[in-house]
Amino acid sequence: MHRLGPGIVAVIVGLVLSVALFVPFLAASFRVRGRVTFARTLLWIALLIAFLALWSYTIFPAPLPTDDYRCTTPNLDILYDLKDIIRIQEAGSSLIANAALQVALLNVLFFLPIGFLLRVMFGWGVVRAMLAGFALSLAVEVTQLTGLWGIYPCSYRLFSVADLLHNTLGAVLGSLLALLIVRRGSRVSASAAPASDRASGPVTAGRRMLAACADLVLYVTVAIGVGAVVGVLALSMGRQTDPWETALGIVVSSALYLAPILVTGATWGERAVLIRVEGGWRPMLVARLVRAVGGLGGVIIALNVIPEFGGWVALGLIGVQIIFVWLTPTTRSLGAALAGMRVRVSPTPRGLEPPQAAPSATRGA
């Protein structure tokens, strides 16, 4: 179980970070590529978890500063693991139970996802995967050698040049393994959305729903984050703040949701997926307030103002908004419709468009 612990930590932290970075990821994807795909999103999450797993296994299990631990001596023998495997075998151990062989194989397996994902996502070949694997492994080993860069007075984990070899080999094997899935010259994230998808035009229901999900994720993340920070600060001072920490989280996240609507008419989620909001009833401030209440703002009010049936009211509002988006030809949100606003796709910002292939020359031109 102690070998699984750092991996479990990496998965949990990776999923939490994936949620926290969801809106910035959407904004970057739409500005660079004009769209986001489910497969590409999963690959980015996998890459994040792979990096976190490497570092969690680099650090944990970590002794407490007050613990009595033994400092390690760097291993500069590149054949150390092979000699250790042979020594254990000569002592009568089975090959499957050979601890040195298990460690060597794990060092190879840990870097397989890195080489695999670098080819699948970015089209990197074996040489680049080898260099990236070596650089990442070197960073890991130096971190161990320096006692987490001076946090500990000496290294409590073994620096080994054999690990550099095995990690680099793992990245190379991962890149080769990816050849079974990715054809030469192609990758999952290669194709960008056509120019027509990035230009101004009608907004699809899918993009509207993606914007709504982004707003909801941002609201919940900020509310929980602010509440957690206030709670930790209060506990450090020996005070109890609940329910004030919850209330402050709701206030801050609600203000964050309302601010861009009052200024531009669009939410953060809509801005992330390049949705532009135009028009609205007069006076504009009233229209934008109506737009906010007709969207996530109404759900927030229902959950926090209506004492007994607020959850059911909020669920009903969400259902009405989903149906409204999918059934109306303009795919406007309920709030935008109530405020008399129009929504359109905003063009990709200048200088961020994906490179387009030059048109091929025609014969006789």
Side-chain angles (χ1 to χ4, degrees):
M1 183 64 185
H2 68 283
R3 289 183 178 178
L4 294 177
I8 294 174
V9 171
V11 171
I12 294 174
V13 174
L15 292 177
V16 171
L17 284 178
S18 298
V19 173
L21 296 174
F22 179 63
V23 177
F25 172 75
L26 278 183
S29 296
F30 273 90
R31 279 154 180 78
V32 174
R33 296 170 40 78
R35 66 174 182 178
V36 65
T37 63
F38 182 70
R40 185 168 175 270
T41 302
L42 289 182
L43 287 173
W44 274 107
I45 294 174
L47 185 63
L48 175 61
I49 292 177
F51 274 107
L52 290 173
L54 292 179
W55 289 107
S56 61
Y57 277 101
T58 298
I59 298 172
F60 302 114
L64 295 174
T66 56
D67 289 347
D68 184 17
Y69 59 90
R70 183 169 60 90
C71 297
T72 62
T73 302
N75 167 47
L76 302 179
D77 184 1
I78 199 170
L79 299 177
Y80 176 83
D81 287 351
L82 179 60
K83 295 176 182 177
D84 207 17
I85 292 171
I86 296 174
R87 178 183 58 80
I88 294 177
Q89 285 301 114
E90 290 176 346
S93 173
S94 67
L95 190 62
I96 297 178
N98 192 310
L101 178 61
Q102 292 175 357
V103 171
L105 290 177
L106 285 175
N107 280 324
V108 173
L109 291 175
F110 283 157
F111 275 70
L112 272 174
I114 300 299
F116 181 90
L117 292 170
L118 288 178
R119 180 182 288 276
V120 171
M121 297 179 67
F122 309 114
W124 285 20
V126 172
V127 175
R128 282 186 174 184
M130 179 181 66
L131 295 175
F134 177 80
L136 183 58
S137 178
L138 182 62
V140 167
E141 295 299 320
V142 171
T143 299
Q144 293 176 336
L145 179 65
T146 57
L148 301 188
W149 301 99
I151 295 178
Y152 293 88
C154 64
S155 173
Y156 64 90
R157 301 291 296 271
L158 177 65
F159 172 94
S160 175
V161 293
D163 288 350
L164 282 173
L165 173 63
H166 297 147
N167 295 156
T168 305
L169 176 61
V172 170
L173 292 178
S175 180
L176 293 174
L177 180 63
L179 287 174
L180 299 176
I181 299 176
V182 181
R183 294 174 300 169
R184 183 175 180 82
S186 65
R187 58 187 186 272
V188 171
S189 60
S191 60
S196 59
D197 288 347
R198 300 191 306 273
S200 297
V203 181
T204 63
R207 184 178 291 216
R208 284 286 311 121
M209 296 305 300
L210 195 58
C213 289
D215 288 326
L216 181 60
V217 168
L218 182 62
Y219 175 83
V220 174
T221 301
V222 172
I224 294 176
V226 171
V229 170
V230 173
V232 170
L233 291 176
L235 289 176
S236 66
M237 295 184 293
R239 298 178 180 178
Q240 296 291 332
T241 61
D242 194 66
W244 291 107
E245 62 192 54
T246 303
L248 183 59
I250 293 173
V251 169
V252 172
S253 55
S254 299
L256 187 65
Y257 167 73
L258 185 61
I261 297 178
L262 295 180
V263 175
T264 68
T267 67
W268 290 115
E270 289 167 338
R271 294 168 66 86
V273 300
L274 297 179
I275 290 179
R276 180 174 56 197
V277 178
E278 302 171 340
W281 311 123
R282 300 292 178 178
M284 185 64 69
L285 179 61
V286 175
R288 290 176 176 177
L289 284 174
V290 170
R291 194 275 154 101
V293 174
L296 180 60
V299 176
I300 296 171
I301 293 172
L303 289 174
N304 295 282
V305 175
I306 303 176
E308 296 184 5
F309 304 103
W312 291 105
V313 174
L315 188 62
L317 287 174
I318 293 174
V320 169
Q321 292 177 26
I322 292 175
I323 295 173
F324 190 90
V325 168
W326 285 99
L327 294 184
T328 53
T330 57
T331 63
R332 289 189 298 178
S333 65
L334 178 61
L338 293 175
M341 296 178 175
R342 302 180 304 275
V343 291
R344 298 187 64 84
V345 175
S346 178
T348 303
R350 188 175 231 179
L352 293 177
E353 300 93 339
Q356 300 296 313
S360 59
T362 59
R363 183 173 296 179

